[in-house]
């Protein structure tokens, strides 16, 4: 059973970098698939942040591209998200998820989400 | 403003049929990219409900069905139940933006 678990600081100051990690269990991340981050501001809809292939190739939302970096740590079976220069608009519930197949597929496994708040 | 447009809310009485639309453009749904649907119950992560337009993952009741035509897609729920009350999102691939979601639709069971 594939499981994903997000972790992060919870509170980040404006202009700093938000760093989140998604630990994967039940599947070796290095084997295959695309892995992604999606966020949901309080009371709002879902926004795709980016996707990383098991090979390390990354794809980012154009609106966030200048501030986003994603990476894979195969030895720990986890992948990470760094979002720089955060503002209050980046306050959201951040989910990690796995695409079920190609880059055109849906996300069939999700973490429970981790809330990241931006405040001084 | 989401790339995929959904109605903010729909409602129906128990037992009824409701549909939720998802309207895109020639760079996403109209280009032939698959549409996927998610159900998000209050306080939980989204759950894949329909994938590749009209396919149900194991465990999803056949009361849920999807379709795609032109630049739009629809999710239909028949035999509405109280437990179906949730937010529903469509998702597709866009040739410029990659992964895109609809703004979400809140389903209220009257």
């Amino acid at each position: 059973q594939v499981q994903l678990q997000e972790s992060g600081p919870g509170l980040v100051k404006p202009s700093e970098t938000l760093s989140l990690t998604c630990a994967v269990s039940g599947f070796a991340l290095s084997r295959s698939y695309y892995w992604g981050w999606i966020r949901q501001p309080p009371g709002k809809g879902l926004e795709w942040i980016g996707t990383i292939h098991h090979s390390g190739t990354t794809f980012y939302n154009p609106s966030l591209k200048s501030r986003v970096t994603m990476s894979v740590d195969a030895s720990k079976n986890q992948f990470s998200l760094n979002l720089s220069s955060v503002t209050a608009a980046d306050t959201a519930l951040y989910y990690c998820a796995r695409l079920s197949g190609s880059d055109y597929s849906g996300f069939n496994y999700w973490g429970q989400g981790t809330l990241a708040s931006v405040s001084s | 403003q989401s790339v995929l447009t959904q109605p903010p809310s729909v409602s129906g009485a128990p037992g009824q049929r409701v549909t939720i639309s998802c309207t895109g453009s020639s760079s996403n749904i109209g280009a032939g990219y698959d549409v996927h649907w998610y159900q998000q119950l209050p306080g939980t992560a989204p759950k894949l409900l329909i994938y590749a337009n009209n396919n149900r993952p194991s465990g999803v009741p056949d009361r849920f069905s999807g379709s795609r035509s032109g630049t739009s897609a629809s999710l239909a729920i028949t035999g509405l139940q109280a437990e179906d009350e949730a937010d529903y999102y469509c998702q597709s691939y866009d040739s410029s933006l990659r992964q895109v979601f609809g703004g979400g639709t809140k389903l209220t069971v009257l």
Side-chain angles (χ1 to χ4, degrees):
Chain A
Q1 174 73 354
V2 179
Q3 292 184 317
L4 293 84
Q5 179 67 60
E6 306 89 347
S7 61
L11 181 64
V12 184
K13 290 182 169 54
S15 80
E16 294 189 343
T17 296
L18 169 66
S19 296
L20 300 176
T21 297
C22 181
V24 179
S25 60
F27 187 85
L29 193 152
S30 60
R31 280 177 52 193
S32 185
Y33 291 106
Y34 291 86
W35 306 82
W37 289 95
I38 299 102
R39 70 180 182 180
Q40 185 171 34
K44 296 188 178 182
L46 302 171
E47 179 183 32
W48 173 69
I49 300 171
T51 303
I52 186 165
H53 189 249
H54 71 96
S55 63
T57 303
T58 54
F59 307 95
Y60 300 139
N61 185 324
S63 68
L64 300 170
K65 187 174 183 178
S66 63
R67 301 193 290 129
V68 172
T69 304
M70 294 177 62
S71 61
V72 167
D73 186 338
S75 66
K76 295 182 179 179
N77 212 40
Q78 64 187 33
F79 60 103
S80 300
L81 167 70
N82 281 346
L83 180 65
S84 65
S85 304
V86 297
T87 69
D90 295 309
T91 293
L93 190 56
Y94 285 75
Y95 295 102
C96 60
R98 192 190 86 175
L99 282 169
S100 61
S102 74
D103 202 19
Y104 312 134
S105 62
F107 293 96
N108 62 340
Y109 289 103
W110 293 69
Q112 64 185 27
T114 186
L115 180 62
S117 298
V118 179
S119 175
S120 55
Chain B
Q1 190 79 3
S2 301
V3 173
L4 304 179
T5 300
Q6 298 180 234
S9 63
V10 297
S11 63
Q16 285 189 333
R17 178 181 187 270
V18 297
T19 61
I20 298 172
S21 61
C22 174
T23 302
S25 67
S26 58
S27 63
N28 41 70
I29 300 175
Y33 294 114
D34 287 335
V35 178
H36 319 288
W37 291 91
Y38 300 86
Q39 177 192 59
Q40 186 176 32
L41 297 170
T44 69
K47 166 192 168 185
L48 185 63
L49 192 67
I50 296 288
Y51 67 94
N53 309 312
N54 55 14
N55 297 279
R56 289 184 306 277
S58 174
V60 174
D62 58 6
R63 301 186 296 105
F64 296 91
S65 63
S67 63
R68 182 191 70 181
S69 178
T71 58
S72 296
S74 290
L75 172 71
I77 309 172
T78 59
L80 204 57
Q81 299 180 4
E83 66 217 46
D84 298 332
E85 190 160 288
D87 293 325
Y88 292 84
Y89 294 89
C90 60
Q91 177 228 329
S92 187
Y93 182 91
D94 185 277
S95 57
S96 297
L97 305 173
R98 301 195 84 90
Q99 305 296 338
V100 289
F101 285 94
T105 298
K106 181 177 181 60
L107 169 63
T108 300
V109 180
L110 302 171

